[in-house]
Amino acid sequence: MKEYGPTTFGDLHADEYDALHDPGTTDACVDLIAELAGTREVLELAIGTGRIALPLAARGLSVSGFDASPEMLQKLREKPGGEALQTWVADMARFDLGQMFDFAYLVFNTLYNLTSQQAQTDCFQCVAKHLRPGGQFLVEAFMPNRERFENNQAVRTKKVSFDSVLLEAAQHDPVAQTIHYQRIRFTEDGTSLNPLPMRYVWPSELDLMAALAGLRPVARWGGWQKQPLSASSNMYVIVYEKPATEA
Ligand SMILES: C[S@@+](CC[C@H](N)C(=O)[O-])C[C@H]1O[C@@H](n2cnc3c(N)ncnc32)[C@H](O)[C@@H]1O
């Protein structure tokens, strides 16, 4: 049986990532990270094809990043300014870049691509080791919504056209906090499958992972425009800080 691993996302999506994965919030995300990071040295975890890192670098920020997928990094390097960024192939649950940064970020639900609590906790530990005192870590992800499931499963019709149908099937495990997605495309040529397993994290659990790594929350929002984080928020943007001096 095939296993979903750290490189699988890139294997499946590198070629069409930019065309099909636009959350519509890129400019707002870049604005907020630029405001928070200022002139400090920045690290993007799971940098992908540079959707956020390249516009930040174009504004003069010093941005580096890593990704598990060599294919995603290759797409980044093919873009204007891509060769100038320092990049590594690395796993966000166990990275050691031999360098320190002042600001790190992990956006677009990508923490959830680590599908166990242990791997997510390890990710925070790695980030803390790469932050200078006073350094910050921003995490953005969707707020889990149980109402999207009936009996912990959901099937949605994503797109119907004359010669194809795109469906999304999802199975939710509220104990493990996992959602296993499968996008199924039917065309005249056959069927294709596109899996995506995720483990979601509530803000309270995120705070605990951060605390275990010695980081404390300094800002929490329900959107890129600094909307308050509330019961009706469908996403969170939370910023953690490594104390400037040891307690
Ligand atoms: C949704 S994309 C986000 C890319 C980019 N940060 C953005 O916002 O456009 C998820 C990225 O995470 C990478 N990824 C998945 N698992 C990873 C892991 N364990 N370590 C590092 N990168 C990983 C994928 O290769 C992919 O580039």
Side-chain angles (χ1 to χ4, degrees), residues 4-11 13 17-18 21 23 26 29 44-53 66-70 72-73 89-95 105-111 113-114 140 196 198:
Y4 198 101
T7 59
T8 309
F9 186 96
D11 294 344
H13 298 288
Y17 180 80
D18 291 333
H21 293 79
T26 300
C29 169
E44 178 167 357
L45 282 73
I47 191 170
T49 61
R51 182 180 66 89
I52 303 300
F66 68 84
D67 201 279
S69 165
M72 294 291 277
L73 290 175
V89 174
D91 184 333
M92 58 186 163
R94 52 183 73 83
F95 61 96
Y105 62 93
L106 177 56
V107 298
F108 208 1
N109 313 315
T110 304
L111 178 69
N113 288 18
L114 296 173
E140 177 245 337
L196 182 61
M198 289 190 145

Side-chain angles (χ1 to χ4, degrees), residues 102-171:
D102 304 298
F103 193 91
Y105 62 93
L106 177 56
V107 298
F108 208 1
N109 313 315
T110 304
L111 178 69
Y112 296 178
N113 288 18
L114 296 173
T115 52
S116 72
Q117 186 187 54
Q118 186 63 58
Q120 293 168 339
T121 305
D122 291 347
C123 176
F124 270 85
Q125 298 284 337
C126 290
V127 170
K129 283 184 192 141
H130 286 77
L131 283 181
R132 295 192 180 101
Q136 295 181 330
F137 179 38
L138 177 150
V139 183
E140 177 245 337
F142 66 78
M143 283 284 272
N145 181 0
R146 276 196 85 155
E147 289 169 18
R148 293 171 72 97
F149 302 95
E150 197 179 317
N151 295 326
N152 290 317
Q153 59 84 39
V155 179
R156 258 187 289 279
T157 307
K158 302 287 288 184
K159 196 168 180 187
V160 177
S161 63
F162 182 75
D163 54 6
S164 74
V165 177
L166 179 61
L167 301 180
E168 181 183 84
Q171 228 170 9

Side-chain angles (χ1 to χ4, degrees), residues 41-63:
E41 264 187 90
V42 177
L43 174 70
E44 178 167 357
L45 282 73
I47 191 170
T49 61
R51 182 180 66 89
I52 303 300
L54 287 172
L56 284 175
R59 291 186 187 198
L61 276 81
S62 163
V63 190

